[in-house]
């Protein structure tokens, strides 16, 4: 099976940097994705890492260490609109290449 | 492009009633998925389809059926609704699996309450 762990809540100040960690256990790991979901909204794709290292997309970066079964999402220059839930998801090749989601980290950005 | 659309947006059922949730995508994606999202539990895969005419069970398939008669549509059915099926249901699609880099496109969701 699969299991993912991420903090349930994080609070950070506007303009600051925040890191959301994700550790995972899965037998058929292929990659790690991150999704953002605002209250009442749909999840939207942020990033994907299949190889070790850092991927940068604007203010957001995502990191993966396959040997440590660990990844993180880094949000820089936090804005109020970044307040949302962030989900890590393992892309698993067991079966039909599905995504298995963590339980999410609720980020609150305060002034 | 509308992307992924879902109907209805809200629905209230009584225990034992049946209903069908419709998902449509206009991106010519091969893969489609149905998830449910409960408070504090993230998204859990109910059923998925890797192409027209195919369906397969996900993590929590009991009490649900699906059909993919057309490539652009994926239907989720509840034959006899139970209060435990009160949830928000999301449909998603992806171009394929590996090359899509795990990227799935989600619909706006259907909020279902079973009394």
């Amino acid at each position: 099976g699969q299991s993912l762990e991420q903090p349930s809540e994080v609070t950070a100040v506007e303009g600051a940097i925040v890191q959301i960690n994700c550790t995972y256990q899965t037998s058929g790991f292929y990659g790690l994705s991150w999704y953002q979901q605002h209250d009442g909204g749909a999840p939207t794709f942020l990033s994907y890492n299949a190889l070790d290292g850092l991927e940068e997309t604007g203010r957001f970066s995502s990191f993966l260490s396959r040997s440590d079964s660990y990844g993180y999402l880094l949000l820089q220059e936090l804005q109020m609109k970044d307040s949302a839930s962030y989900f890590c998801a393992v892309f698993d090749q067991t079966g039909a290449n599905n995504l298995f989601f963590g339980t999410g980290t609720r980020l609150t950005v305060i002034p | 492009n509308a992307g992924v659309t879902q109907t209805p947006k809200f629905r209230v059922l009584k225990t034992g009633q049946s209903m069908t949730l419709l998902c449509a995508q206009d991106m010519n994606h091969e893969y489609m998925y149905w998830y449910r999202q409960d408070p504090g539990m993230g998204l859990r895969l109910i059923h998925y389809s890797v192409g027209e005419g195919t369906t397969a069970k996900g993590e929590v398939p009991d009490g649900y059926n699906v059909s993919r008669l057309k490539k652009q549509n994926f239907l989720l059915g509840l034959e006899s609704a139970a209060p435990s099926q009160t949830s928000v249901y999301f449909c998603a699609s992806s171009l394929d699996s590996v090359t899509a880099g795990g990227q799935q496109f989600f619909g706006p969701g259907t909020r279902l309450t079973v009394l």
Side-chain angles (χ1 to χ4, degrees):
Chain A
Q2 299 81 17
S3 70
L4 296 97
E5 287 192 16
Q6 52 181 129
S8 58
E9 294 182 352
V10 173
T11 300
V13 178
E14 188 177 16
I17 299 173
V18 71
Q19 179 175 311
I20 300 174
N21 299 321
C22 175
T23 57
Y24 60 85
Q25 285 187 325
T26 182
S27 55
F29 180 83
Y30 198 89
L32 187 71
S33 296
W34 289 92
Y35 284 75
Q36 179 192 59
Q37 185 180 30
H38 287 97
D39 285 348
T44 56
F45 175 80
L46 290 177
S47 68
Y48 174 71
N49 295 69
L51 302 176
D52 287 356
L54 191 68
E55 295 280 344
E56 298 182 64
T57 308
R59 294 187 297 113
F60 294 1
S61 303
S62 57
F63 172 82
L64 175 66
S65 169
R66 295 173 70 108
S67 60
D68 295 323
S69 297
Y70 163 76
Y72 66 72
L73 180 69
L74 191 73
L75 294 81
Q76 303 181 68
E77 302 173 12
L78 280 173
Q79 302 176 9
M80 299 299 290
K81 68 178 182 180
D82 296 330
S83 292
S85 292
Y86 293 84
F87 294 88
C88 60
V90 291
F91 191 42
D92 194 299
Q93 282 192 300
T94 306
N97 300 358
N98 293 313
L99 278 178
F100 293 89
F101 286 81
T103 54
T105 298
R106 186 172 184 86
L107 171 65
T108 302
V109 180
I110 58 176
Chain B
N1 287 347
V4 180
T5 58
Q6 293 182 230
T7 53
K9 289 185 170 52
F10 302 92
R11 186 72 186 267
V12 178
L13 290 179
K14 294 181 179 179
T15 298
Q17 288 184 319
S18 63
M19 78 163 295
T20 300
L21 283 69
L22 173 62
C23 175
Q25 52 94 4
D26 61 1
M27 296 174 283
N28 203 35
H29 285 174
E30 289 293 334
Y31 286 52
M32 296 187 75
Y33 314 83
W34 275 107
Y35 293 91
R36 61 177 289 172
Q37 185 174 33
D38 302 300
M41 297 190 72
L43 290 132
R44 292 183 292 169
L45 184 66
I46 304 171
H47 286 280
Y48 63 96
S49 168
V50 300
E52 181 179 318
T54 74
T55 63
K57 295 180 180 179
E59 185 183 356
V60 288
D62 294 343
Y64 305 95
N65 57 76
V66 288
S67 64
R68 181 104 182 264
L69 298 179
K70 292 183 179 180
K71 185 176 182 178
Q72 63 268 33
N73 296 336
F74 196 28
L75 278 64
L76 178 71
L78 287 74
E79 291 185 348
S80 179
S84 61
Q85 294 178 303
T86 293
S87 187
V88 181
Y89 292 86
F90 287 102
C91 176
S93 71
S94 65
L95 181 61
D96 53 29
S97 59
V98 174
T99 60
Q103 181 175 4
Q104 295 183 8
F105 296 82
F106 283 80
T110 295
R111 190 173 297 273
L112 175 67
T113 302
V114 183
L115 302 175

